[in-house]
Amino acid sequence: QKNRFSQENRARKMFTDKISKLIDSNIPDERLEGLNILKNLTGGFIDVYEAGSTDNLPGLQCYTLMMKSTSLQQGILDKLQNQRPVYKGFPLELELLITLGAIHPWLIRTTACSNQYFSAEELEDLERTKFDVKFGSKVRFVMSLIPKCVFRREKVLIFCHNIAPINLFLELFATIFHWRKGKEVLVLQGDIELFERGRVMDKFEEAGGPSKVMLASITACAEGISLTAAARVILLDSEWNPSKSKQAIARAFRPGQDKVVYVYQLLAAGTLEEEKYSRTTWKEWVSSMIFSEELVEDPSRWQAQKIEDELLREIVEEDRATLFHRIMKIEKASSVIRGKESCNIILLTAVK
């Protein structure tokens, strides 16, 4: 009996390896062959449920922004990334440090494990960067975006996994914009009681109210949370499970929304964050292709000629190719594009 199970496992592994190699092939016919095998295998027991129609909503535009790290960030991220061969993977603490360092180098200091990877002198040097936005590419983008949104009277919803970046932005908003927590900037975290959550959400949704920005943790992104006043959604870090990011987006893009929602997923180019994105994008593409009637090319290969988001285009033009490595644009469920889904890439290069 043991030999029988061993033979079954070997046969299963050979079969799955064959399918995965076909799907991962650069030859379209081989990809289609692998996908057809999966369709035939799963067609009898997998049902597909399409979400409700969003034709009545104004539209959704999602951008994945691959950020260029600052020189200080790059040194920190390279040092952390180089620990991968030592650990044969990414321990949770190392993943946390990469996530925080990609937002702003100072955030490294907020972790208990930072002294395992950095000297006391290095950590002391980071203290001086705390309120300088130019040292963190993601912070710099947020602080460039916010004033433009305020001028347009658009509210912004910022999601993050960890509390430390939320606290840093609270201090930056207070220092630079003189905003007060509970007034111009609101906070929604998973440990807040439901009654208090409702009060905070009502305050954010108040038309003409003082609130301009909502800082929220991903853990607060549960059913029942509706923030349709937000016109811009920023996802500060990456996620192994893309459904969590979709849930965060769905907090703003839902029935009741009366404006186009712009979503910005910020990722540090060349780091674990980009690897997460590549893996989850590939998995989503494969899963969607199982139910598709025709072969659709991997979305990461599609190209676009321009950025349709006027505000983002303005930031890109002002930045002169120092902040962004690559911009991917995904539009879905939008009345502007009649419900079609597309993914495009814009390559930004410096012109001498």
Side-chain angles (χ1 to χ4, degrees):
Q1 187 176 8
K2 182 177 181 180
N3 289 336
R4 182 169 63 84
F5 282 122
S6 178
Q7 290 174 352
E8 287 180 2
N9 289 333
R10 285 199 299 269
R12 186 179 296 111
K13 186 176 187 305
M14 289 175 62
F15 186 65
T16 54
D17 284 350
K18 177 184 177 181
I19 294 177
S20 65
K21 286 179 181 178
L22 286 173
I23 293 176
D24 205 25
S25 171
N26 291 322
I27 302 174
D29 289 343
E30 291 185 357
R31 282 189 167 190
L32 188 58
E33 179 186 352
L35 290 166
N36 284 334
I37 294 173
L38 275 180
K39 288 179 187 179
N40 293 333
L41 285 172
T42 59
F45 59 87
I46 291 183
D47 292 324
V48 182
Y49 172 73
E50 296 292 341
S53 174
T54 55
D55 291 341
N56 295 326
L57 294 178
L60 173 67
Q61 292 192 31
C62 298
Y63 292 86
T64 298
L65 310 181
M66 292 294 181
M67 315 294 294
K68 291 182 179 179
S69 299
T70 66
S71 57
L72 177 60
Q73 273 183 311
Q74 193 64 58
I76 290 173
L77 295 175
D78 285 345
K79 185 172 184 176
L80 294 170
Q81 294 272 140
N82 290 338
Q83 295 295 317
R84 186 172 192 173
V86 177
Y87 291 97
K88 298 180 180 179
F90 278 102
L92 290 178
E93 62 182 28
L94 196 57
E95 185 175 339
L96 171 64
L97 289 172
I98 292 172
T99 298
L100 294 178
I103 296 173
H104 193 283
W106 176 84
L107 291 169
I108 296 288
R109 286 179 53 91
T110 65
T111 66
C113 59
S114 58
N115 56 11
Q116 298 179 31
Y117 302 92
F118 300 94
S119 67
E121 291 77 14
E122 288 175 318
L123 294 175
E124 185 62 30
D125 288 340
L126 290 180
E127 180 62 29
R128 293 191 285 271
T129 69
K130 182 175 182 180
F131 294 106
D132 197 332
V133 300
K134 73 174 181 289
F135 285 109
S137 56
K138 293 186 182 182
V139 170
R140 181 178 154 197
F141 172 78
V142 173
M143 301 306 284
S144 298
L145 180 75
I146 294 296
K148 297 179 185 297
C149 293
V150 172
F151 179 77
R152 292 166 170 253
R153 296 185 178 180
E154 295 178 344
K155 297 192 178 186
V156 182
L157 179 58
I158 303 176
F159 280 108
C160 184
H161 283 84
N162 304 289
I163 303 301
I166 291 177
N167 292 334
L168 176 61
F169 274 110
L170 281 173
E171 293 189 64
L172 288 173
F173 291 152
T175 302
I176 298 174
F177 302 138
H178 305 291
W179 287 354
R180 298 155 293 174
K181 179 181 178 181
K183 297 293 185 180
E184 293 86 0
V185 56
L186 305 173
V187 177
L188 194 63
Q189 295 175 189
D191 58 354
I192 297 178
E193 294 183 357
L194 289 177
F195 178 80
E196 179 63 16
R197 287 192 198 186
R199 191 188 68 80
V200 173
M201 288 189 291
D202 289 343
K203 200 167 188 178
F204 186 72
E205 295 289 287
E206 182 182 343
S211 64
K212 299 174 176 63
V213 174
M214 170 80 81
L215 294 163
S217 65
I218 290 290
T219 54
C221 210
E223 286 298 326
I225 292 182
S226 176
L227 298 167
T228 55
R232 311 271 168 175
V233 178
I234 300 173
L235 305 175
L236 276 179
D237 42 29
S238 57
E239 177 59 67
W240 285 114
N241 183 359
S243 65
K244 291 187 177 181
S245 298
K246 291 180 179 179
Q247 288 172 6
I249 295 170
R251 298 309 102 206
F253 186 69
R254 59 193 299 114
Q257 179 60 261
D258 59 2
K259 59 182 76 67
V260 176
V261 175
Y262 298 91
V263 179
Y264 310 105
Q265 167 79 71
L266 309 185
L267 302 174
T271 69
L272 172 64
E273 292 194 326
E274 185 170 1
E275 182 179 333
K276 285 184 184 180
Y277 174 80
S278 298
R279 288 187 183 182
T280 54
T281 300
W282 185 84
K283 289 178 182 177
E284 286 191 291
W285 173 77
V286 171
S287 63
S288 66
M289 284 304 303
I290 293 175
F291 310 109
S292 175
E293 296 298 324
E294 58 183 8
L295 179 66
V296 177
E297 189 51 80
D298 184 345
S300 64
R301 303 183 182 208
W302 294 4
Q303 303 258 343
Q305 299 300 317
K306 65 178 181 178
I307 302 173
E308 293 185 20
D309 177 5
E310 180 182 346
L311 195 153
L312 179 60
R313 185 169 65 249
E314 187 177 314
I315 293 176
V316 170
E317 291 172 353
E318 293 173 352
D319 176 67
R320 298 180 183 275
T322 62
L323 191 59
F324 305 102
H325 171 70
R326 183 175 57 177
I327 296 178
M328 285 163 283
K329 174 171 168 288
I330 305 172
E331 295 176 299
K332 47 183 144 180
S334 172
S335 58
V336 176
I337 56 174
R338 296 180 176 85
K340 294 182 180 179
E341 180 174 328
S342 63
C343 176
N344 310 287
I345 290 183
I346 300 169
L347 296 177
L348 303 177
T349 56
V351 179
K352 293 184 180 180

